[in-house]
Amino acid sequence: MIKCAVCDDEPLMARELSERLSAYLSKKGDSPFCIECFSGGGQLLESGRDFDLIFLDIQMQAPDGMETARLLRRQGNRSLLIFVTVLQECVFGAFEVEAFDYLLKPLDNARFARTMDRALHVLAQDASKSASRSVLIRQGASCTVVPLEQLLFCEVQGRELYLHQADKSVLHCRERLEMFAQRLDNRFFRCHRSYLVNLDHVRSIQAGQAALFSGGGIPVSRLRERDLKQALLQRMREREG
């Protein structure tokens, strides 16, 4: 699903943009979509939601669109930001926050369509890369490529890191868990000082254990159980979205 946000303190403009966006995505018909409107930057920031596309008006009450974009980037948000404004002179500020594009009001149909065509192309590429990601495991003189979707969990025993895969095979190598985690993506969570789990394979969390769909479970630190539940919920939203 393509998740879009429209942030504009002018209700008529917000509705016009939402309707234009809905018409475009409905005509494409490639993926389901949702559009959520926000009346200001503060409301968008407080939502804590992840979006694929965010349309931001620049002229709003504090925080204005540009400041909202800066705050989103500081939070690690990597959504495609598209500014919509009457202020052509603000185009240079858009580069600072890595804006995807800059649309002037009143919106031009052809210009809007070209921007959306490019945005959907980028989103499709990102989705493909995420699904096909893998990690390289070095074992002495040999190397093995492991698709991330096949990696169930990792555990540390002594100085060895053991990688448990969906086909029941186990690889091991000498690498610190902290360093290995940096080579993975957000589907993995450090649930224990000695364990890293793939959230896509977690069936439930209870009594200090993360039960896996494939059977069995791994320990969850009491101090990390709440964060694990939140991470699992967020991951489920991303996959369902």
Side-chain angles (χ1 to χ4, degrees), residues 154-156 161 177-178 190-196 219-221 224:
C154 313
E155 65 172 320
V156 174
L161 180 62
L177 188 59
E178 293 83 356
R190 184 83 175 270
C191 61
H192 186 278
R193 67 179 182 179
S194 300
Y195 287 86
L196 190 69
V220 177
S221 167
R224 301 181 187 183

Side-chain angles (χ1 to χ4, degrees), residues 78-145:
R78 303 311 303 168
S79 302
L80 299 183
L81 300 180
I82 299 174
F83 287 115
V84 184
T85 183
V86 296
L87 301 175
Q88 187 170 4
E89 62 271 22
C90 290
V91 64
F92 297 107
F95 292 113
E96 178 188 343
V97 292
E98 301 176 49
F100 180 75
D101 210 341
Y102 190 99
L103 300 178
L104 293 175
K105 299 177 184 179
L107 297 178
D108 176 78
N109 287 333
R111 179 77 170 83
F112 178 82
R114 288 197 299 272
T115 295
M116 286 302 302
D117 286 345
R118 290 194 303 110
L120 293 190
H121 179 69
V122 170
L123 292 175
Q125 287 184 320
D126 289 345
S128 177
K129 289 177 182 177
S130 177
S132 61
R133 279 204 60 188
S134 58
V135 64
L136 182 68
I137 308 300
R138 299 182 183 277
Q139 299 172 295
S142 65
C143 295
T144 303
V145 176

Side-chain angles (χ1 to χ4, degrees), residues 158-172:
R159 295 183 179 181
E160 294 289 324
L161 180 62
Y162 291 83
L163 313 178
H164 297 256
Q165 300 182 79
D167 62 2
K168 306 299 184 183
S169 64
V170 180
L171 292 174
H172 65 89

Side-chain angles (χ1 to χ4, degrees), residues 45 56 64-77 81 83 93-94 96-97:
L45 291 164
L56 273 173
D64 63 15
M66 200 63 71
E67 181 61 20
T68 298
R70 292 190 188 99
L71 293 171
L72 285 169
R73 291 306 192 218
R74 288 173 191 167
Q75 294 173 358
N77 185 291
L81 300 180
F83 287 115
E96 178 188 343
V97 292

Side-chain angles (χ1 to χ4, degrees), residues 181-193:
Q182 294 179 16
R183 300 205 279 137
L184 307 178
D185 58 22
N186 63 357
R187 80 189 83 179
F188 290 86
F189 186 87
R190 184 83 175 270
C191 61
H192 186 278
R193 67 179 182 179

